[in-house]
Amino acid sequence: MTSTPPRFGMVAGEASGDLLAGLLLQGMRTRWPDLQAWGIGGPRMAAQGFTAWWPHDKLSIFGYVDALLNLRELLGLRRQLGDRLLALPEAERPAAFIGIDAPDFNFGLEQRLREGGIKTVHFVCPSIWAWRAERVEKIRRSADHVLCLFPFEPELLQKSGIAASYVGHPLADAIPLEPPQLESRAALGLGGQGPVVALLPGSRRSEIKYLAEPFLRAALLMQQARPYLRFVMPVAPGLRGLIEPLVQGVAPTLNLTLLEGRSHEALAACDVTLVASGTATLEAALFKRPMVIAYRMHWLNWWRMKGKNYQPWVGLPNVLAREFLVPELIQDQCTPEALAREGLAWFAEPERYTRVQARFAEQHLLLRCNTAQRASDAIAQVIGRA
């Protein structure tokens, strides 16, 4: 049995999960070139030979309101996937199921599979250090092992009797220590001199709904103050139909280039970014780009979440630094005027700009530790193929 290529069930939700899972699969294939993997995933996973039984955008929702509106479909999808994996003959069952992020979907599935005799690994520790500490019990019931992106997480989990490994962040391995700014500007058609601001309002429809307009209005204010500014906005697949009418209605005179994806090139090319809280903030830090972190959501989601945070920081670069390296504008604070003010401040304070870039370089080195190999080593231990 140990000579046969291992099989893995996997679920990754949204573009960020697909990105992490694609990098993880790339490393796993170094150890097991002929592995098989199937479940729910996106194009980056498919590029590594993953078979998507369902597309990853089925899980592209955010918050309690969106979850409630889609609850019946999500529960049905989770049940179908569990049925399909557990119905496989013993010899064809996955050596392990790997849930990538999407904890509200994956934990219930992992618990069922684990009780059915399938080993489970969860990749990306939920932010129990920030909010929703009650998830610890769910993790204990669901995961045989947790792969942690940040160095302080395994100790927190191990105190609760949960096996965990620090594997670093795969993006820290994938993103160069010295971002290729000039090359990226040329590739995006942004040749010439002058600062560039990247607008990253998110990849979910709900994020576009709440953040795209404030970002565009803020960019107009920034352009009024500094007419030589240029702006780029990466647009996630399938969302251009939402963005283009908004740009025409809100900011038709903005010096803006819309991109089909290519968020990493946009971050490499820019000088400053306005960015939605989430994985993109860490990507911006790895590209050493000073930023303004923003988030808005349905008022009910905000009401339920705001009392559950255990620390003052939301953005990942600030969480890692344990201080406000960059400004955060959340919910009612996220206005065009505040976004523009904080964005322009980076251009007016060069010493602060340079200092933050140095701190981001330190974070990059901390997280860069060959995640793919570390993660595949931990998975090999779980499935008994070390």
Side-chain angles (χ1 to χ4, degrees), residues 295-329:
Y295 217 83
R296 293 177 67 188
M297 62 192 76
H298 190 281
W299 69 266
L300 181 58
N301 290 335
W302 174 244
W303 177 75
R304 293 200 60 178
M305 289 181 68
K306 68 178 182 178
K308 296 189 175 187
N309 58 312
Y310 304 133
Q311 56 186 6
W313 314 285
V314 172
L316 290 171
N318 290 339
V319 171
L320 280 171
R322 315 304 291 171
E323 63 173 293
F324 284 104
L325 281 184
V326 300
E328 298 179 356
L329 300 173

Side-chain angles (χ1 to χ4, degrees), residues 155-231:
E155 183 179 357
L156 293 175
L157 292 174
Q158 288 161 7
K159 285 179 179 177
S160 299
I162 300 166
S165 300
Y166 170 55
V167 298
H169 204 296
L171 288 172
D173 295 317
I175 293 171
L177 292 173
E178 292 291 335
Q181 188 173 55
L182 294 179
E183 296 91 329
S184 297
R185 288 190 179 189
L188 297 177
L190 298 171
Q193 301 299 313
V196 175
V197 178
L199 308 177
L200 278 73
S203 58
R204 303 183 181 107
R205 288 179 175 270
S206 59
E207 291 172 329
I208 298 300
K209 175 181 177 182
Y210 288 107
L211 288 174
E213 183 172 340
F215 276 28
L216 289 168
R217 293 191 183 280
L220 276 176
L221 294 173
M222 295 174 73
Q223 185 173 269
Q224 289 172 14
R226 294 184 177 237
Y228 49 80
L229 287 178
R230 295 172 292 168
F231 299 85

Side-chain angles (χ1 to χ4, degrees), residues 70 246 266:
N70 295 276
L246 192 59

Side-chain angles (χ1 to χ4, degrees), residues 88-158:
L88 291 170
E90 190 70 28
E92 298 176 17
R93 276 191 169 193
F97 173 83
I98 305 171
I100 297 91
D101 210 4
D104 291 319
F105 184 92
N106 275 325
F107 283 150
L109 177 59
E110 288 167 16
Q111 182 177 349
R112 183 185 174 197
L113 296 175
R114 192 182 187 194
E115 291 170 352
I118 295 175
K119 295 286 188 179
T120 58
V121 176
H122 194 80
F123 184 33
V124 182
C125 175
S127 49
I128 55 174
W129 33 266
W131 46 41
R132 295 188 69 176
E134 69 273 13
R135 277 184 172 168
V136 170
E137 282 303 316
K138 289 185 178 179
I139 301 171
R140 197 194 332 264
R141 292 193 301 267
S142 304
D144 286 297
H145 203 92
V146 179
L147 306 178
C148 300
L149 301 180
F150 304 117
F152 54 83
E153 293 174 325
E155 183 179 357
L156 293 175
L157 292 174
Q158 288 161 7

